[in-house]
Amino acid sequence: MKTWLFKSEPDTYSIDDLQKEKTCFWEGVRNYQARNFLRDEVKKGDFVLFYHSNCKPPGIVGLAEVIKEGTPDPFALDPKSDYFDPKASEENPRWYGVTLKFLKKYPKALSLEEIKASKELEGMLVAQKGQRLSIQPVETKHYKRIETLCAV
DNA sequence: GCCAACGTTGGC
DNA sequence: GCCAACGTTGGC
C-alpha cells in the first residue's frame, strides 16, 4: 500500500470537482516519469493526496483512493482534445491514467508553506525546489503526519 | 505577470 | 549523442 501526491490546478480540476463527481479518470499526464508511475506503480487501494498547485495558497486539500489501475489515456487519441498526442496510438498508447474515488476534503488544508515549515515533513518531494513532477510518491510517515495535521 | 528550473525537440 | 532553442510548470 503506497501513498501518492497528485497535483492539479484548481482552476482546471479541484478537490471540489472530485467531490461532486465522486470518481474521476486522471487524464492528461504528459510526462514520462509521471506516466511510469501511473502505468506501473500506482495500485488499486493506494491513497492519493490531492494537491492544488498554481493557486493561493498551494497545498494539500484532500484525499482520494485509487479504484482502477493504469489504463491508456483516451484523450491522447482524440484530435479534439487538448491532451491529443499524434504519436500515441491504440497499439502504443504512450500515456496512461488511473481512476480515483473521492474520500475526503480535509477540514484543514495543509499549505506548501506549512509543509516546508514542518520538521516531520522534511524531505517531501513537493517542497523541494524546482520539483515539477505531477505524480509523486509520498512516504508513509509523511502521510500519517499529514492526516494528523489536517484532521482538525 | 515574472522567471527559474525543468523537460522535450530537433538539427547537426 | 550533444546541446541550443523552445515550451511548460508552478511558486512568488
Side-chain angles (χ1 to χ4, degrees), chain A residues 1-6 42-50 62-66 100-101 103-104 106 136 138 143 147:
Chain A
M1 180 82 82
K2 288 201 177 104
T3 307
W4 304 90
L5 181 147
F6 283 20
V42 178
K43 298 297 181 191
K44 191 172 171 178
D46 284 357
F47 288 131
V48 172
L49 294 166
F50 201 107
L63 188 72
E65 180 187 345
V66 178
L100 299 183
K101 180 178 78 175
L103 287 184
K104 62 183 167 186
Y106 284 124
Q136 305 180 353
V138 174
Y143 166 62
E147 277 287 318

Side-chain angles (χ1 to χ4, degrees), chain A residues 31-49:
Chain A
N31 167 284
Y32 284 104
Q33 212 180 336
R35 188 281 308 269
N36 291 344
F37 283 139
L38 289 178
R39 188 188 57 187
D40 307 327
E41 297 197 46
V42 178
K43 298 297 181 191
K44 191 172 171 178
D46 284 357
F47 288 131
V48 172
L49 294 166

Side-chain angles (χ1 to χ4, degrees), chain A residues 3-5 12 18 20 35-37 46 51 58 77 83-84 88 95 99 103 108 110 113 126 128-129 134 136 142 150:
Chain A
T3 307
W4 304 90
L5 181 147
T12 307
L18 179 58
K20 252 176 270 167
R35 188 281 308 269
N36 291 344
F37 283 139
D46 284 357
Y51 180 90
L77 301 175
Y83 299 127
F84 177 63
W95 304 114
T99 306
L103 287 184
K108 188 204 159 308
L110 187 66
E113 192 182 10
V126 74
Q128 283 167 30
K129 190 181 177 189
S134 63
Q136 305 180 353
H142 289 156
C150 295

